Amino acid sequence: DTAVSQTPKYLVTQMGNDKSIKCEQNLGHDTMYWYKQDSKKFLKIMFSYNNKELIINETVPNRFSPKSPDKAHLNLHINSLELGDSAVYFCASSQAQNSPLHFGNGTRLTVT
Amino acid sequence: GENVEQHPSTLSVQEGDSAVIKCTYSDSASNYFPWYKQELGKGPQLIIDIRSNVGEKKDQRIAVTLNKTAKHFSLHITETQPEDSAVYFCAASINTDKLIFGTGTRLQVFP
């Protein structure tokens, strides 16, 4: 009964492909996020959704498109994958603003 | 925008010793300061947080201090144990959903 679960855990793909990462939370939280962690462990926010509405979009290329079908799910679709997209992508959720974030265990994306 | 600096990047201590990790932030409007612990292959987990109306908070072996004037906050771990070994992140936010993370500190506790 993982609180924030994301799939897949590992994703290896070639440049130019399109891929999706799925995230689900069973905490009843209103806000969900996508963070990117690069090879130096630096964590940076990409998107934030509150009740299915986009509230933060941090200068992420248009190739990245988040979709929230309901407030318990936030998926990330990436088009035309590039080598620089290789990273660990973390989904997270929180009850409200300034509330603790609960992270999933990440999806390690490797683009070859 | 907000910028968070974290030091040191690596920290090695003997079991039983204390460990201190320091962070500074740039935006005086920041009012929420959490600390996260990330173990290998897992997502960051909140270990303690502090809000700007409090100067210090303690939870068993972990404490956080906040100096709003100097715009810095610190994590203190006492009586360290090998299972404390992980990467620790500080973060700051300005009453929004947008947490800005520090660059992380890899803590190693040697038995």
Side-chain angles (χ1 to χ4, degrees):
Chain A
D1 57 341
T2 308
V4 180
S5 58
Q6 37 182 128
T7 53
K9 188 169 174 62
Y10 300 98
L11 186 52
V12 181
T13 189
Q14 290 186 326
M15 282 174 56
N17 284 349
D18 303 339
K19 290 292 177 187
S20 292
I21 307 172
K22 295 187 176 182
C23 179
E24 176 182 4
Q25 55 96 2
N26 62 7
L27 297 166
H29 288 168
D30 287 336
T31 308
M32 295 186 72
Y33 312 78
W34 279 108
Y35 276 81
K36 179 180 180 181
Q37 186 171 48
D38 63 23
S39 57
K40 294 184 179 177
K41 294 284 190 184
F42 185 58
L43 266 167
K44 188 172 180 187
I45 190 168
M46 299 173 69
F47 300 103
S48 171
Y49 269 73
N50 183 270
N51 239 335
K52 303 194 299 174
E53 290 199 21
L54 180 67
I55 54 174
I56 293 174
N57 182 342
E58 280 293 299
T59 56
V60 178
N62 290 341
R63 300 181 295 104
F64 290 78
S65 52
K67 279 200 172 62
S68 182
D70 55 61
K71 74 174 194 177
H73 295 84
L74 181 62
N75 304 321
L76 183 65
H77 189 76
I78 315 169
N79 289 328
S80 304
L81 278 155
E82 300 177 357
L83 292 176
D85 298 332
S86 296
V88 181
Y89 291 84
F90 286 101
C91 178
S93 72
S94 68
Q95 179 60 46
Q97 290 180 350
N98 277 4
S99 295
L101 263 63
H102 296 253
F103 283 87
N105 282 329
T107 295
R108 182 175 292 277
L109 171 65
T110 303
V111 183
T112 61
Chain B
E2 176 64 279
N3 183 49
V4 178
E5 294 190 0
Q6 182 172 347
H7 299 282
S9 56
T10 59
L11 180 58
S12 297
V13 299
Q14 206 72 35
E15 183 177 1
D17 287 351
S18 295
V20 180
I21 302 170
K22 298 182 178 182
C23 288
T24 59
Y25 60 98
S26 60
D27 195 324
S28 55
S30 288
N31 59 5
Y32 177 61
F33 308 93
W35 286 88
Y36 284 83
K37 175 184 181 183
Q38 186 177 19
E39 295 175 332
L40 196 61
K42 294 189 176 180
Q45 278 197 305
L46 180 75
I47 55 172
I48 195 167
D49 58 8
I50 192 168
R51 297 180 191 272
S52 57
N53 58 347
V54 175
E56 185 173 353
K57 186 175 176 180
K58 193 172 180 181
D59 182 3
Q60 299 183 335
R61 297 186 296 108
I62 294 172
V64 57
T65 58
L66 171 65
N67 183 328
K68 285 185 63 180
T69 304
K71 290 189 282 188
H72 67 68
F73 55 114
S74 301
L75 178 71
H76 304 251
I77 306 174
T78 58
E79 299 170 33
T80 53
Q81 300 165 4
E83 51 265 40
D84 293 330
S85 297
V87 179
Y88 290 81
F89 291 94
C90 63
S93 74
I94 317 171
N95 206 36
T96 69
D97 297 308
K98 185 177 165 181
L99 269 182
I100 305 299
F101 282 85
T103 47
T105 296
R106 184 176 299 279
L107 173 65
Q108 285 186 296
V109 181
F110 292 98

